[in-house]
Amino acid sequence: RPPRSTLFPYTTLFRSVHMALAWLQTRPFNCSAILGATTVAQLEHGLKAQDMVLSDELVAAIDNLNKAHPLPY
């Protein structure tokens, strides 16, 4: 779990699913996100991130967390 002070201010502005999907769109390479929606409502909820633009500060904070906690494989 990331330190509370790093992303906590943003959790009141964005849902974590939207923040994660919007962050994926900032990657300098092609990637795909699998939403795993099983209902139209879930799909609509996830797609709200499509036009989100994250601040440079927030992208940097997420990047730092990603570097601090790399994938285990």
Side-chain angles (χ1 to χ4, degrees), residues 19-57:
M19 197 175 346
L21 292 170
W23 178 76
L24 282 175
Q25 294 178 60
T26 70
R27 303 300 75 206
F29 48 83
N30 292 328
C31 63
S32 297
I34 299 172
L35 297 178
T38 58
T39 66
V40 172
Q42 290 173 339
L43 179 61
E44 289 172 343
H45 178 72
L47 290 176
K48 289 179 184 178
Q50 185 175 4
D51 297 321
M52 282 182 67
V53 176
L54 303 179
S55 69
D56 292 340
E57 177 187 32

Side-chain angles (χ1 to χ4, degrees), residues 5-16:
S5 61
T6 306
L7 293 179
F8 183 72
Y10 299 102
T11 59
T12 58
L13 300 174
F14 306 112
R15 298 226 179 227
S16 58

